[in-house]
């Protein structure tokens, strides 16, 4: 079976140009820019998640501060979510959408996927073995500089919130 993907938003989509998605296909879009004629275009996110061919929604909301609202809506509809990083802006929102995904039996993914990548995945076993001492401080920095072609909200308070959210995720993974 092919997984039907719906795209919502256009602020950083990683899947929009991918023509070789193994076991998956972009079948619908809402505010996702130019799409092939085979992709159904919906006027609203509500219409997109009502599309029976969509099982997963890739969310790249225009503003990350409001992305949590889209995630909630998609999860409540029983659809899986792949959200552009940062998934949410506050720790309580992350806990909420993780619990909602669990309750609805849905998968919830952050496009960064750092938890499964080296060196992050190697750290918890090292901590469990006692190979690493007590962690005193964790510093998280943005990995790229501001550029005019990047979303312009990155210089706002949302940028700071993004770093805080990333630090929280890293701390949850490590501690």
């Amino acid at each position: 079976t092919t997984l039907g993907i719906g795209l919502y938003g256009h602020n950083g989509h990683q899947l929009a140009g991918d023509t070789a998605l193994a076991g998956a296909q972009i079948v619908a879009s809402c505010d996702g820019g130019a799409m092939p004629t085979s992709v159904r275009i919906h006027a609203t996110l509500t219409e997109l998640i009502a599309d029976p061919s969509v099982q997963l929604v890739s969310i790249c909301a225009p503003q990350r501060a409001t992305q949590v609202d889209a995630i909630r809506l998609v999860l409540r509809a029983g659809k899986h979510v792949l959200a552009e990083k940062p998934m949410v802006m506050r720790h309580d929102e992350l806990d909420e959408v993780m619990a909602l995904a669990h309750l609805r039996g849905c998968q919830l993914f952050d496009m960064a996927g750092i938890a499964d990548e080296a060196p992050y995945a190697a750290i918890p076993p090292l901590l469990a073995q006692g190979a690493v001492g007590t962690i005193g401080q964790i510093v998280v920095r943005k990995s790229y500089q501001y550029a005019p072609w990047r979303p312009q909200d990155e210089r706002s308070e949302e940028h700071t919130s993004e770093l805080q959210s990333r630090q929280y995720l890293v701390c949850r993974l490590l501690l």
Side-chain angles (χ1 to χ4, degrees), residues 22-133:
Q25 180 180 3
I26 298 171
V27 295
S29 180
C30 173
D31 192 29
M35 291 284 130
T37 56
S38 62
V39 174
R40 283 180 301 290
I41 306 299
H42 295 286
T44 66
L45 178 58
T46 303
E47 288 179 19
L48 179 76
I49 60 177
D51 186 328
S53 67
V54 174
Q55 289 94 37
L56 177 142
V57 178
S58 176
I59 300 175
C60 292
Q63 297 290 319
R64 296 296 183 260
T66 60
Q67 183 160 276
V68 67
D69 298 327
I71 293 170
R72 288 181 187 121
L73 190 64
V74 172
L75 290 172
R76 287 182 184 132
K79 310 278 181 166
H80 306 294
V81 171
L82 175 64
E84 177 60 271
K85 61 192 178 311
M87 184 181 302
V88 296
M89 290 303 190
R90 296 192 334 254
H91 305 152
D92 61 319
E93 292 173 339
L94 179 61
D95 290 337
E96 175 195 351
V97 296
M98 289 173 69
L100 183 58
H102 179 74
L103 178 70
R104 301 296 298 189
C106 296
Q107 297 293 317
L108 176 64
F109 301 98
D110 179 313
M111 285 186 192
I114 64 168
D116 296 325
E117 294 180 6
Y120 300 103
I123 294 173
L126 292 173
L127 292 172
Q129 296 167 8
V132 177

Side-chain angles (χ1 to χ4, degrees), residues 10-25:
H10 59 275
N11 186 2
H13 262 299
Q14 317 241 340
L15 300 177
D18 198 338
T19 57
L21 297 169
Q25 180 180 3

